């Protein structure tokens, strides 16, 4: 086997790879057993490891002697340069020798311990236990990804992993709302004390007391390479210099995006656990997660969990709405992205949506309506008279609307844009209507479904949650809709097709019943600009490091503000961001001495 | 002399009718537009418009990649 040849002379094996490693041999002895192996033949990787070796990753190979009955195997290990970490893993995958990242946290004496435990009252469900056992099977912490449906208790899995490893934890989330949710969950399930938790968002930058603790932050905060505020910069340096025992990545499917990849390589974490419900992306980058974080350790069976009552059973349906002739004509004529606007603002869709909302309100269900496109969102919500939340909605108003939705029996329907896709905890919602969506994104469809999987009433007999997707017939939307459903179909859901809503014709006073109002609607839609047709940019409501927050206030006396108090006028030749100057201006020989010669 | 043109009576849904009306603006084949769901067209173009409609319906249908 290509693996291990315990050489008598330790240093020999490593010289072929990189001369400098030999000095570190003595340090490694007390961590690993046995000698150092001759590195397996990796010509490309060998070349990259030249230069100084930092105490980077340790590659550990388990080897049991061929002839032995020993229960104890011998572990051989060697170090590789931390910069070439990703390349080494890629290369190993290519030569069919995939590496798994494991962290021997029990024997790690270098990093300070973090004593947290699960509260005695906390119980772990069977599938959570199975997923964690896959992670900790060797007595070491394996890095990888655990896939559990929304609402199945991923956060608890993360908390339990942190309590098992008992070293510093860094938790990365998608938004500041989830940061608060994670903090609350950590306090709820584990014995962690509040001063051991540090939050890092654009609003708040804390430190934890003691050597080890928990930091919760967002991907945006650590990924951004632009100029940062001083406090953020300090915090970032702290994050990069600290040795983390565990890095928790919530909604890990966002990590392969170019912006977030470097997070994983810049921050030193001995083990990484990725949590998500949807391990799909529409580009091919999802495979990169294999060597960015690790393999998929466990994926839950949605149907199984639904049967056991951990998540709600959902009836999925696709409602086909005819396009009115005028709208269809306009749809055929449009070339640009306004096509989306036209098939979303289809009057028949309005009617179907209204009918379904009325139907479910009468049943006592709480409904969420998702409309991706902001223009349509506002149009729908205003026409049907319901509150709506989208990126620009201020935090206070969002909390108010959501609290009302949860508790107030008078408010049974709300409209959400993309901001409602992930992480919003709305256990009262039992019905979902999707009016418009982001092209063919399977992940989005599944994440939206997750909003109703946590329904409180899911354990009632015969309870069903409902998921409707409204599609305009004979348009591109049909194509996108079918694509989106693929992920859910793979999980075992089947989409019923409703071509005609029973009772919609008898329903009195639905909007846009007559041709006159439909023509008016078409006219307003045509007036809408192209920008309105764009799908809302994600993160519009979330913080970014250098974004100006509304108005800026400066205090000062009138005298100072008008320049009278020691302010001098100074002209600079442009911002420092501009590259080095071009050649200095040429001066006439007569005046050269006056201006001085410039190099 | 009598000049006779062969005609075809088409019954379709309003959406398809819109498509045909649009095609008509490029190359005239509609003899009479009867109402929201019926048209009377010139038979010689019948094959062509049938193909166009089929292609349109195909474009809007998702074909899943079946893994063998």
């Amino acid at each position: 086997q290509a693996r291990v040849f315990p050489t008598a002379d330790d240093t020999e094996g490593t010289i072929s790879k990189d001369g400098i490693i030999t000095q570190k041999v003595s340090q490694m002895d007390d961590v690993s057993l046995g000698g150092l192996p001759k590195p397996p033949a990796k010509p490309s990787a060998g070349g990259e490891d030249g230069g100084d070796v930092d105490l980077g990753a340790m590659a550990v190979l388990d080897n049991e002697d061929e002839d032995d009955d020993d229960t104890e195997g011998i572990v051989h290990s060697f170090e590789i340069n931390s910069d070439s970490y990703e390349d080494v893993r890629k290369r190993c995958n290519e030569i069919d020798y995939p590496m798994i990242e494991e962290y021997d946290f029990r024997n790690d004496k270098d990093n300070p311990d973090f004593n947290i435990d699960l509260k005695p009252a906390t119980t772990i469900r069977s599938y959570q236990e199975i997923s964690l056992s896959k992670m900790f099977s060797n007595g070491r912490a394996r890095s990888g990804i655990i896939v559990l449906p929304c609402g199945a208790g991923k956060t608890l899995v993360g908390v339990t992993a942190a309590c098992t490893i008992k070293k510093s934890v860094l938790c990365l989330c998608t938004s500041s709302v989830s940061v608060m949710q994670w903090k609350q969950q950590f306090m709820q399930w584990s014995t962690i004390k509040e001063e051991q938790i540090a939050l890092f968002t654009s609003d708040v930058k804390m430190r934890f007391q003691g050597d080890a603790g928990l930091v919760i932050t967002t991907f945006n905060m650590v990924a951004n390479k632009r100029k940062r505020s001083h406090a953020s910069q300090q915090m970032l340096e702290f994050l990069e210099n600290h040795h983390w025992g565990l890095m928790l990545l919530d909604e890990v499917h966002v990590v392969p995006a170019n912006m977030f990849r470097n997070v994983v390589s810049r921050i030193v974490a001995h083990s990484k656990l990725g949590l998500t419900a949807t391990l799909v992306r529409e580009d091919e980058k999802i495979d990169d997660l294999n060597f960015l974080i690790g393999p998929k350790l466990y994926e839950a069976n949605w149907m199984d969990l639904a049967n056991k009552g951990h998540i709600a059973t959902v009836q999925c349906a696709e409602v086909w709405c005819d396009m009115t002739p005028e709208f269809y004509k306009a749809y055929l004529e449009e070339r640009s992205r306004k096509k989306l606007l036209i098939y979303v603002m289809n009057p028949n869709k309005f009617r179907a949506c209204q009918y379904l909302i009325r139907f479910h309100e009468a049943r006592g269900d709480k409904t969420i309506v998702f409309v991706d496109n902001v223009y349509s969102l506002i149009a729908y919500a205003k026409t049907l008279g319901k509150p709506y939340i989208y990126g620009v909605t201020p935090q206070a108003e969002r909390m108010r609307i959501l609290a009302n939705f949860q508790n107030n029996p008078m408010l049974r329907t709300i409209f959400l844009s993309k901001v409602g896709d992930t992480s919003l905890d709305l256990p009262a919602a039992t019905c979902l209507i999707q009016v418009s969506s982001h092209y063919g994104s399977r992940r989005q469809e599944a994440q939206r479904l997750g909003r109703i999987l946590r329904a409180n009433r899911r354990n009632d007999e015969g309870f069903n949650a409902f998921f409707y997707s409204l599609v305009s017939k004979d348009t591109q939307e049909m194509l996108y809709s079918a694509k989106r459903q693929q992920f859910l179909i793979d999980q075992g859901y089947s989409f019923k097709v409703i071509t005609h809503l029973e009772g919609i014709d008898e329903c009195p006073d639905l909007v846009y019943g007559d041709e006159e109002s439909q023509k008016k609607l078409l006219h307003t839609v045509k007036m809408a600009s192209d920008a309105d047709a764009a799908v809302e940019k994600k993160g519009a409501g979330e913080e970014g490091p250098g974004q100006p927050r509304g108005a800026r206030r400066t205090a000062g006396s009138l005298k100072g503000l008008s320049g009278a108090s020691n302010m001098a006028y100074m002209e600079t030749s442009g911002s420092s961001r501009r590259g080095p100057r071009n050649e200095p201006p040429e001066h006439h020989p007569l005046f050269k001495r006056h201006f001085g010669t410039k190099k | 002399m009598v000049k006779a043109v062969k005609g075809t009576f088409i019954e379709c849904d309003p959406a398809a009718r819109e498509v045909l009306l649009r095609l008509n603006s490029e190359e005239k084949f509609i003899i009479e537009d009867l109402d929201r769901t019926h048209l009377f067209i010139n038979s010689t173009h019948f094959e062509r418009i049938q193909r166009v409609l089929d292609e349109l319906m195909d474009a809007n249908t998702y074909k899943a990649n079946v893994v063998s």
Side-chain angles (χ1 to χ4, degrees):
Chain A
Q1 286 187 339
R3 277 198 222 176
V4 177
F5 300 92
T7 52
D9 187 355
D10 290 343
T11 60
E12 245 176 39
T14 54
I15 278 188
S16 59
K17 184 171 181 167
D18 182 345
I20 305 181
I21 294 187
T22 56
Q23 284 162 316
K24 310 252 183 176
V25 165
S26 48
Q27 265 180 320
M28 281 173 39
D29 267 350
D30 45 350
V31 185
S32 69
L33 314 162
L36 288 167
K38 223 197 286 194
K42 292 185 288 184
S44 57
E48 280 145 356
D49 282 356
D52 265 336
V53 174
D54 299 326
L55 191 65
M58 304 251 276
V60 174
L61 299 168
D62 266 318
N63 182 37
E64 257 111 89
D65 287 353
E66 262 75 299
D67 46 64
D68 80 327
D69 284 317
D70 290 346
T71 45
E72 236 176 75
I74 303 186
V75 176
H76 305 269
S77 51
F78 57 92
E79 285 180 50
I80 52 174
N81 196 339
S82 49
D83 292 332
S84 41
Y85 170 68
E86 202 174 301
D87 297 316
V88 170
R89 288 191 73 163
K90 242 200 221 163
R91 181 72 194 137
C92 288
N93 273 333
E94 284 167 27
I95 58 174
D96 270 341
Y97 203 72
M99 310 279 261
I100 293 185
E101 218 181 296
E102 290 185 352
Y103 172 43
D104 197 356
F105 55 93
R106 284 187 228 271
N107 294 330
D108 184 7
K109 302 288 173 279
D110 300 330
N111 290 322
D113 277 341
F114 184 33
N115 274 321
I116 50 172
D117 266 310
L118 285 182
K119 281 191 181 152
T122 314
T123 48
I124 309 183
R125 297 178 186 157
S126 58
Y127 58 89
Q128 291 168 323
E129 200 182 313
I130 297 176
S131 57
L132 285 168
S133 69
K134 296 257 182 277
M135 185 179 171
F136 290 108
S137 56
N138 270 356
R140 296 192 279 268
R142 207 171 270 145
S143 291
I145 303 175
I146 294 183
V147 183
L148 295 171
C150 317
K154 288 193 296 294
T155 320
L156 183 52
V157 171
V159 173
T160 314
C163 294
T164 313
I165 292 184
K166 293 200 202 309
K167 300 279 182 205
S168 292
V169 183
L170 172 65
C171 183
L172 292 162
C173 317
T174 43
S175 69
S176 47
V177 175
S178 5
V179 168
M180 301 310 289
Q181 282 180 353
W182 272 88
K183 173 176 177 178
Q184 186 257 339
Q185 296 263 300
F186 257 99
M187 311 257 340
Q188 187 179 354
W189 302 123
S190 76
T191 57
I192 198 170
K193 297 192 257 314
E194 188 148 1
E195 58 264 16
Q196 290 171 311
I197 306 183
L199 303 179
F200 180 38
T201 66
S202 68
D203 306 321
V204 52
K205 296 156 184 47
M206 302 157 60
R207 294 283 182 98
F208 51 72
Q209 297 176 0
D211 300 319
L214 164 71
V215 173
I216 315 182
T217 179
T218 63
F219 286 108
N220 279 312
M221 289 306 281
V222 295
N224 222 301
K225 284 188 179 150
R226 290 201 324 251
K227 284 207 181 119
R228 317 297 303 275
S229 73
H230 182 64
S232 297
Q233 192 62 36
Q234 278 191 319
M235 196 65 192
L236 271 180
E237 278 166 15
F238 168 67
L239 289 180
E240 286 179 16
N241 293 333
H242 194 102
H243 273 263
W244 303 98
L246 173 68
M247 177 155 51
L248 281 170
L249 298 117
D250 196 17
E251 313 290 354
V252 73
H253 54 266
V254 307
V255 170
N258 288 330
M259 197 161 103
F260 299 133
R261 288 171 89 117
N262 63 60
V263 175
V264 177
S265 44
R266 272 184 9 220
I267 298 187
V268 176
H270 288 283
S271 62
K272 308 191 235 309
L273 176 62
L275 298 163
T276 180
T278 48
L279 201 58
V280 290
R281 284 175 67 95
E282 296 308 322
D283 52 32
E284 292 91 48
K285 293 192 185 140
I286 202 73
D287 298 324
D288 295 351
L289 274 177
N290 252 320
F291 58 86
L292 277 174
I293 296 173
K296 181 171 69 173
L297 297 170
Y298 179 74
E299 180 164 8
N301 183 333
W302 291 44
M303 287 292 125
D304 204 28
L305 260 56
N307 288 335
K308 299 210 175 96
H310 299 303
I311 56 176
T313 29
V314 186
Q315 301 286 332
C316 303
E318 197 179 74
V319 179
W320 288 3
C321 312
D322 278 328
M323 290 278 273
T324 63
E326 296 85 30
F327 267 80
Y328 197 58
K329 182 157 173 251
Y331 168 80
L332 289 171
E333 280 165 12
E334 281 295 338
R335 284 276 135 238
S336 60
R337 277 190 302 186
K338 273 176 82 174
K339 268 180 153 57
L340 182 141
L341 210 54
I342 293 178
Y343 63 68
V344 172
M345 299 289 280
N346 182 4
N348 285 328
K349 244 200 209 187
F350 269 91
R351 297 164 62 86
C353 188
Q354 193 180 18
Y355 176 73
L356 285 171
I357 290 177
R358 274 202 203 159
F359 181 76
H360 280 280
E361 280 189 352
R363 281 187 73 220
D365 284 327
K366 294 247 180 184
T367 313
I368 304 179
V369 185
F370 273 106
V371 186
D372 239 11
N373 177 262
V374 176
Y375 178 86
S376 325
L377 171 72
I378 300 181
Y380 266 82
K382 289 203 168 139
T383 319
L384 301 178
K386 309 282 177 200
Y388 58 95
I389 299 178
Y390 65 116
V392 173
T393 318
Q395 189 68 11
E397 192 176 332
R398 290 190 203 191
M399 301 311 294
R400 192 170 51 86
I401 295 179
L402 292 175
N404 263 315
F405 179 70
Q406 273 287 113
N407 305 320
N408 189 347
M410 301 288 286
L411 179 60
R412 274 169 285 177
T413 315
I414 53 170
F415 278 74
L416 293 178
S417 78
K418 243 182 178 180
V419 299
D421 269 1
T422 54
S423 311
L424 270 190
D425 203 10
L426 295 166
T430 47
C431 173
L432 219 78
I433 302 179
Q434 189 172 245
V435 167
S436 115
S437 44
H438 190 129
Y439 303 116
S441 170
R442 296 167 288 165
R443 172 206 59 77
Q444 193 192 45
E445 187 104 333
Q447 291 280 355
R448 285 183 166 174
L449 186 68
R451 300 310 103 215
I452 49 173
L453 289 177
R454 335 161 117 75
N456 273 334
R457 286 163 48 195
R458 62 180 181 266
N459 291 318
D460 295 350
E461 262 308 298
F463 170 75
N464 278 322
F466 293 93
F467 181 57
Y468 297 96
S469 194
L470 300 184
V471 181
S472 289
K473 250 176 82 172
D474 303 322
T475 64
Q476 280 175 340
E477 205 173 16
M478 304 262 293
L479 179 69
Y480 293 135
S481 181
K483 181 153 190 275
R484 293 165 64 85
Q485 290 159 9
Q486 293 307 306
F487 179 77
L488 291 173
I489 289 174
D490 283 339
Q491 298 299 326
Y493 291 102
S494 61
F495 274 76
K496 285 187 282 293
V497 174
I498 302 176
T499 44
H500 178 79
L501 287 167
E502 272 305 312
I504 193 173
D505 300 317
E506 290 86 45
C507 192
D509 54 68
L510 292 176
V511 292
Y512 299 121
D514 58 318
E515 220 177 290
E516 186 56 45
S517 53
Q518 288 173 2
K519 287 209 174 112
K520 272 207 204 125
L521 178 64
L522 180 60
H523 186 73
T524 25
V525 172
K526 280 192 173 167
M527 289 294 115
S529 68
D530 254 357
D532 286 336
V535 183
E536 178 185 33
K537 274 233 163 331
K538 187 144 193 206
E542 284 151 15
E543 78 289 309
Q547 259 173 21
R549 315 278 271 140
R552 223 178 40 174
R553 290 190 162 153
T554 3
S557 66
L558 214 63
K559 183 171 120 184
L561 289 171
S562 60
S565 56
N566 294 332
M567 289 210 308
Y569 178 68
M570 195 174 79
E571 205 172 10
T572 52
S573 58
S575 73
S576 54
R577 250 182 285 144
R578 276 202 214 129
R581 268 199 198 236
N582 300 336
E583 301 106 55
E586 273 301 303
H587 296 295
H588 192 274
L590 275 180
F591 298 112
K592 257 210 170 98
R593 211 171 339 135
H594 173 67
F595 286 112
T597 44
K598 299 206 180 145
K599 272 258 167 264
Chain B
M1 236 352 271
V2 176
K3 191 165 180 246
V5 171
K6 199 154 179 207
T8 313
F9 181 64
I10 304 237
E11 184 176 356
C12 59
D13 67 340
R17 177 173 159 271
E18 288 297 326
V19 178
L20 292 175
L21 282 174
R22 206 157 165 250
L23 276 178
N24 190 50
S25 57
E26 289 151 29
E27 199 186 326
K28 292 217 164 297
F29 55 84
I30 295 185
I31 301 175
E32 186 84 25
D33 181 2
L34 299 165
D35 65 15
R36 275 167 65 92
T37 48
H38 299 93
L39 293 171
F40 194 58
I41 65 155
N42 195 332
S43 304
T44 44
H45 297 247
F46 180 63
E47 305 278 295
R48 187 177 65 92
I49 62 166
Q50 193 158 51
R51 241 181 333 165
V52 172
L53 277 172
D54 280 341
E55 276 167 29
L56 186 67
M57 290 303 121
D58 245 8
N60 286 334
T61 317
Y62 176 69
K63 295 156 226 9
N65 296 328
V66 179
V67 181
S68 54

